[in-house]
Amino acid sequence: MIPAIARTKPNDPPWIHPRAAYVHIPFCAHKCGYCDFAIATGKDDRIDAYLTAISREIALLGGVQQIRTLFVGGGTPSHLSVGQLAHLCSILGEWLPVQKGGEVSLEANPESLTREKVKLLADAGFTRISLGAQSFSKGTLKSLDRPHDPDAVREAVNLVKESGLVVSLDLIFGAPEQTIIQWQTDLGEAIRLGTDHISTYGLTYEKGTPLEKRVRLGMVRPVGEDLERAMYAEAIACLGGAGYEHYEISNFAKVQKRCAHNEVYWANEAHHGFGMGAAGYVGLSRDLNTRDLERYIRLCSQGTRPVFQSETLNPRERAGETMAQNLRRIEGVETGRFLEQTGFDPQILFATELERLVVQGFLETNPERFRLTPEGKFVADSVIERLMRCV
Ligand code: SF4
C-alpha cells in the first residue's frame, strides 16, 4: 500500500500537504513526577541507534521534504551530547531543509543546555529555544521532581539571548503547595529576564504518573479550582501588562515572536511527526508512532514505518477537530477559512450550541468569525466539548 504521505503534492492546501515537521527526541536524564510523555530514561546507550532510526524514518517518505517550520521536542533534546546534536543537525539539514525565513525550534532543559550546544544549534540554523523552566521557586521545582534550580534557568535564558535566538519559557501553575505570590514571582522573573515567549500550563495529574499516585495516597494535595483560576487570570493580566500578546489559551508572545510551528497545530493543518510516539497528520490521515523505543528502532532499521495507529477522520470529525483547535487561538474560528478547509459553514454546523454559548457569555461571534470571550477562556475545555457534540 502506498503510504498517505506519498499522495500529497506541494501545491495541495496546507491542511493536506505538510509544511511543518515535528521530531521527537525521547531521552531524559530522569523522569519527572508529572510526566506522561513518550520518554526514555537510562537508555543513553541507544541514542546513536535512535538517531539513525530517525534518519531512516524520514527517508521512508521517499525524498527531501522542504518545510517552513521544524520543532525538535521531547523528552529532552538538549540531553544529547554535542556530538549527538551535531549528528541530529546533519540529519535534519539533509532530509528536512527549512525554507528561508522559516522557524526551527528545539526544546531544552536548563541543566543540560551549554554554551557549546547553543552555538552549535545557532550555527545549524535553529531560530528558537523553548526552555522547560516550569518555575523559579525551589519548592515548586522540587514538588514537580524537576532536577534544576532557579539559577540554571536564568543562566540558560541568558545563553540563548546572547546567541541571538528567540527564547521561550514553559511555566507551570497550580503545582502542589504553590501560592499566588510564588506564581506572581515566576511570571515577574520570566518578564524581567526578557523572555520573548511564555507558555503557561495548569498542572494536570495524568493517570499512572508518580505525582497522580501521590495524590491518590493523600501525600499531595492539588491546589483548589479557585486558586488555579486566579493564577491563570494573573498570567493574563501580568503578561498582558508587560506587552505580551495572549494569542492562544496558554501562550503569550512579544511582537513577532509567536510560535509558528504551534500555530500549524491550532490551524489543524498537516504536519509530519517523526520519532517514537510522534503524531503526524498528512493527507487527512492521522498516524501515531509506537511509544516503544526498541520497536521503533527495529521497525525503522527494517525499512518499515513505525506507525502504531492510523486513522482517516470523516469530514464531520475533521470539522469538529478543526473547530477544537481553532478555538484555542485568541482570533478564534474564521468562517471563510473554516468553510474552505472543511467544507462546512461553522455558523451552520454549530448553530444551536453557538447561540447558547453566546447567550451564556462564553463566545462572541460576528459573520466573519467566532471566538472565546474573556470568561470563555477560563472554561475553554468545556466550551470546546459542547461544540464537538454538534458533529
Ligand atoms: S524533562 Fe520533560 S519530558 Fe523529560 S521527564 Fe521531565 S517532564 Fe517528562
Side-chain angles (χ1 to χ4, degrees):
M1 191 180 131
I2 302 170
I5 278 163
R7 290 203 297 266
T8 72
K9 297 181 211 72
N11 288 338
D12 285 337
W15 49 90
I16 305 277
H17 181 79
R19 274 92 169 166
Y22 173 81
V23 174
H24 190 72
I25 303 295
F27 303 96
C28 287
H30 95 137
K31 187 168 164 77
C32 306
Y34 62 96
C35 182
D36 187 35
F37 302 127
I39 67 154
T41 54
K43 302 270 177 66
D44 290 3
D45 58 331
R46 302 301 280 148
I47 293 177
D48 293 328
Y50 183 81
L51 295 180
T52 303
I54 287 267
S55 69
R56 293 209 168 115
E57 188 194 357
I58 304 172
L60 281 171
L61 293 190
V64 168
Q65 308 292 316
Q66 171 101 46
I67 48 174
R68 286 188 198 143
T69 68
L70 171 64
F71 195 103
V72 180
T76 313
S78 58
H79 180 65
L80 269 51
S81 68
V82 173
Q84 289 161 341
L85 271 180
H87 184 196
L88 175 65
C89 290
S90 84
I91 292 168
L92 299 176
E94 180 181 359
W95 291 103
L96 297 172
V98 177
Q99 69 185 50
K100 206 164 178 287
E103 180 189 275
V104 191
S105 308
L106 181 120
E107 269 182 350
N109 276 352
E111 73 280 5
S112 56
L113 197 66
T114 63
R115 187 177 296 279
E116 209 182 348
K117 290 181 188 177
V118 175
K119 178 167 184 335
L120 177 121
L121 294 165
D123 290 347
F126 276 78
T127 59
R128 60 195 284 150
I129 302 286
S130 175
L131 278 171
Q134 315 315 352
S135 177
F136 289 91
S137 149
K138 280 187 180 173
T140 303
L141 289 169
K142 190 158 181 277
S143 74
L144 295 170
D145 285 334
R146 297 293 300 202
H148 61 266
D149 65 26
D151 282 340
V153 182
R154 295 183 188 102
E155 280 165 30
V157 171
N158 289 332
L159 273 183
V160 179
K161 281 174 66 74
E162 280 165 27
S163 71
L165 302 189
V166 173
V167 60
S168 177
L169 281 192
D170 283 359
L171 294 176
I172 286 181
F173 62 90
E177 313 291 332
Q178 191 182 27
T179 65
I180 190 95
I181 303 285
Q182 283 170 336
W183 177 235
Q184 285 165 337
T185 307
D186 283 348
L187 293 166
E189 188 65 5
I191 295 166
R192 192 191 64 76
L193 285 169
T195 313
D196 299 300
H197 183 279
I198 299 173
S199 304
T200 61
Y201 299 110
L203 179 65
T204 52
Y205 295 84
E206 300 297 340
K207 209 166 162 27
T209 58
L211 195 56
E212 184 263 346
K213 194 172 168 200
R214 276 180 246 154
V215 171
R216 264 190 288 121
L217 294 173
M219 295 159 68
V220 162
R221 202 153 49 95
V223 301
E225 244 176 63
D226 288 350
L227 178 54
E228 207 174 32
R229 188 186 160 105
M231 286 175 164
Y232 182 49
E234 185 62 28
I236 295 171
C238 180
L239 296 174
Y244 290 81
E245 178 196 20
H246 185 194
Y247 73 107
E248 192 268 349
I249 291 172
S250 306
N251 285 276
F252 302 82
K254 290 261 181 77
V255 177
Q256 308 258 308
K257 305 294 182 190
R258 288 179 173 203
C259 177
H261 183 82
N262 285 341
E263 288 193 300
V264 168
Y265 299 142
W266 302 322
N268 202 29
E269 292 180 350
H271 53 87
H272 294 297
F274 301 109
M276 169 185 140
Y281 180 40
V282 178
L284 303 177
S285 168
R286 286 197 181 283
D287 294 336
L288 185 63
N289 279 353
T290 175
R291 282 173 76 115
D292 181 319
L293 179 67
E294 292 308 325
R295 188 171 161 73
Y296 175 80
I297 294 173
R298 192 176 62 251
L299 287 173
C300 292
S301 74
Q302 292 167 350
T304 305
R305 289 187 62 216
V307 175
F308 157 74
Q309 202 176 50
S310 190
E311 62 172 345
T312 304
L313 302 180
N314 70 40
R316 287 182 78 89
E317 287 169 334
R318 276 205 303 278
E321 276 208 357
T322 304
M323 187 281 307
Q325 290 297 327
N326 285 185
L327 209 53
R328 298 191 60 86
R329 309 179 300 198
I330 293 319
E331 50 258 53
V333 181
E334 288 169 57
T335 305
R337 170 85 177 187
F338 189 97
L339 177 61
E340 191 192 351
Q341 182 169 351
T342 68
F344 292 95
D345 181 335
Q347 313 267 3
I348 296 173
L349 185 62
F350 305 108
T352 325
E353 201 57 42
L354 262 184
E355 208 179 305
R356 278 197 211 112
L357 286 161
V358 169
V359 171
Q360 289 165 357
F362 298 132
L363 282 182
E364 53 195 21
T365 183
N366 64 41
E368 276 88 49
R369 68 176 67 242
F370 58 94
R371 62 183 186 185
L372 294 166
T373 59
E375 183 58 25
K377 290 177 198 162
F378 289 94
V379 290
D381 287 345
S382 85
V383 170
I384 289 170
E385 205 183 301
R386 282 172 60 180
L387 287 168
M388 289 284 274
R389 280 192 225 125
C390 301
V391 297

